Amino acid sequence: MTGASAGAPVRPPAALSRTGARVERQPLARFTTLGVGGEAEVWFVGTHEQLAEAMEQPYRVLGGGSNLVIADEGVPERVIRLSGPFAERDLELDPALSAGDGVVTGWVGGGVPLPGLLRALQKLGLSNLEGTVGIPAQVGGAVWMNAGTRYGEMFDGLHTIEIVTPAGVRQVTPDDLNWGYRNSGIPRNHVVTQVRLKLRRSTPEAVLERMEHADVARKGQPKMKTPGCAFKNPRTPEFPDGVSAGRLIDQAGLKGTRVGNAMISPDHANFIVNLGGATAADVHALLHLIRERVGVAMELEYELWPEQALSAPERA
Ligand code: FAD
Ligand code: EPU
């Protein structure tokens, strides 16, 4: 007798890799804000040595999982998750790099959750990143996407970025990168392991006020399982200053449209929400439908794992 009840899922226990990384087969749904995604081998890495070992085979990098639509079959590659020291932060100001109002912190790990970091910076009265309030990312994922809002973005507060690839470790500054709206210029699978933040001395009260101001823009966003906005706001000759993709999808009359258990949010049309039990295919079908019905070219903001063309809606 093993003691396992009939039909209970049998999961192999976590193993340690050669360099001590924890390796576990896990359903990826539990790491995503959409709550969708099948299994993969997850490598929890906390040192450069462990990361180098994880990169010996094809891999993907998982941050806070807040921009991902992962297939129900999972992915065949290793999935790297920063943990241990890569999920820690040192907010001591570096005297050698700080001058006057401009201050630079110690290293902040790429696996640090952004919301907690912002709360800590607010208490210290350190400003520059408060425009990113409400983004449920990890620091590495937020840097990789240059996540932001109209009140500010990650690149407002970066001094140095450490990037690891199978070829080695290097440190860059924002000036070295071709960054812009929702784009850091850092190639895919180049891992942001840690950053130094470039901040401005302010007061806890003033930082809190700016955070609350930026947060007001989230009032209309759904509080359900979602990966945030599906499409980037397009800039076209018709809309040279950009236009809300949400407004365009809304104007196409698509709010509340369902495929299976996924829905275009009735609150904000650029959010796809999981009503419970949605599949990746449901979400793909809605994305396809939006592309088809909105007559403006829009770049997908969600990332599909694995990468694929959007399937035609079958049940819309
Ligand atoms: P993931 O979703 O895990 O991954 C996204 C991409 O980043 C993948 O390519 C992944 O490989 C890569 N990546 C992750 N970690 C690293 C790393 N350490 N190094 C290199 N690459 C990495 N976004 C905005 O910009 N503005 C918003 O206002 C906003 N609001 C949101 C609100 C909600 C409720 C939700 C669910 C999402 C929202 N988003 C917003 C989207 C999302 O939070 C951002 O795209 C964020 O940058 C994703 O970061 P992540 O750590 O979750 O990355
Ligand atoms: N609007 C509609 N219908 C909708 C949604 C929006 O008419 O269904 C209108 C609003 O009434 C408003 C305008 O469109 O007049 C702009 O809407 P909103 O303020 O919600 O901003 P957005 O451009 O739709 C952007 C970001 C969000 C970010 C908010 C707040 C993109 C793709 N979206 O949304 O980022 O949180 O501003 O700053 O840039 C994300 O990237 O995942 C994300 C959530």
Side-chain angles (χ1 to χ4, degrees), residues 148-150 181-182 217-218 221 228-229 231-233 244 246-247 250 255 267-271 301:
T149 66
R150 76 179 72 96
Y181 165 68
R182 299 291 194 275
R218 294 198 177 272
Q221 298 183 357
C229 282
F231 292 92
K232 296 184 184 181
N233 286 346
S244 163
R247 174 180 292 175
D250 189 356
K255 266 186 174 173
D267 299 320
H268 191 299
N270 201 13
F271 282 70
E301 182 169 314

Side-chain angles (χ1 to χ4, degrees), residues 154-178:
M154 282 309 286
F155 272 66
D156 293 338
L158 297 178
H159 180 270
T160 317
I161 306 165
E162 182 185 89
I163 298 175
V164 177
T165 69
V169 183
R170 69 196 167 105
Q171 287 175 11
V172 300
T173 68
D175 286 345
D176 299 321
L177 298 166
N178 192 14

Side-chain angles (χ1 to χ4, degrees), residues 32-48:
T32 68
T33 53
L34 177 65
V36 170
E39 286 192 358
E41 190 177 272
V42 185
W43 283 58
F44 297 89
V45 304
T47 65
H48 288 93

Side-chain angles (χ1 to χ4, degrees), residues 2-300:
T2 61
S5 59
V10 180
R11 221 175 274 298
L16 289 187
S17 77
R18 187 179 76 239
T19 54
R22 188 160 55 89
V23 182
E24 238 174 285
R25 250 198 112 66
Q26 292 254 17
L28 297 179
R30 70 170 56 154
F31 297 101
T32 68
T33 53
L34 177 65
V36 170
E39 286 192 358
E41 190 177 272
V42 185
W43 283 58
F44 297 89
V45 304
T47 65
H48 288 93
E49 195 191 12
Q50 291 172 2
L51 182 55
E53 186 194 359
M55 289 175 156
E56 287 170 3
Q57 300 284 328
Y59 65 89
R60 293 173 182 271
V61 193
L62 175 69
S66 61
N67 199 42
L68 300 178
V69 181
I70 303 179
D72 305 296
E73 297 73 35
V75 291
E77 297 86 5
R78 293 175 172 178
V79 169
I80 295 176
R81 193 127 209 271
L82 299 177
S83 65
F86 285 144
E88 289 168 7
R89 58 186 197 216
D90 171 10
L91 297 182
E92 285 287 312
L93 302 181
D94 187 321
L97 296 174
S98 304
D101 264 2
V103 294
V104 176
T105 66
W107 289 104
V108 174
V112 166
L114 183 60
L117 173 67
L118 293 189
R119 279 195 298 276
L121 295 179
Q122 182 269 321
K123 288 196 181 105
L124 293 167
L126 295 173
S127 174
N128 276 1
L129 284 179
E130 51 271 34
T132 65
V133 67
I135 300 178
Q138 289 186 353
V139 167
V143 169
W144 189 79
M145 290 280 300
N146 187 19
T149 66
R150 76 179 72 96
Y151 300 99
E153 56 194 354
M154 282 309 286
F155 272 66
D156 293 338
L158 297 178
H159 180 270
T160 317
I161 306 165
E162 182 185 89
I163 298 175
V164 177
T165 69
V169 183
R170 69 196 167 105
Q171 287 175 11
V172 300
T173 68
D175 286 345
D176 299 321
L177 298 166
N178 192 14
W179 57 273
Y181 165 68
R182 299 291 194 275
N183 174 23
S184 64
I186 301 170
R188 181 172 304 286
N189 276 358
H190 287 212
V191 184
V192 175
T193 38
Q194 33 185 3
V195 297
R196 279 178 184 275
L197 302 177
K198 189 180 74 190
L199 303 164
R200 215 164 28 81
R201 279 185 215 276
S202 178
T203 62
E205 295 74 24
V207 176
L208 183 63
E209 199 181 314
R210 284 193 290 272
M211 282 171 85
E212 286 174 348
H213 182 65
D215 210 26
V216 170
R218 294 198 177 272
K219 277 234 160 69
Q221 298 183 357
K223 309 278 175 278
M224 299 177 75
K225 289 183 174 181
T226 174
C229 282
F231 292 92
K232 296 184 184 181
N233 286 346
R235 273 194 180 79
T236 63
E238 199 187 338
F239 304 108
D241 299 326
V243 60
S244 163
R247 174 180 292 175
L248 297 175
I249 301 166
D250 189 356
Q251 285 169 349
L254 291 173
K255 266 186 174 173
T257 305
R258 268 181 79 159
V259 172
N261 289 315
M263 182 171 68
I264 298 173
S265 169
D267 299 320
H268 191 299
N270 201 13
F271 282 70
I272 292 182
V273 297
N274 179 358
L275 299 170
T279 65
D282 294 339
V283 178
H284 294 175
L286 283 175
L287 295 171
H288 181 93
L289 180 77
I290 291 170
R291 273 257 170 87
E292 208 175 53
R293 298 271 180 89
V294 175
V296 176
M298 297 192 298
E299 189 187 340
L300 195 63

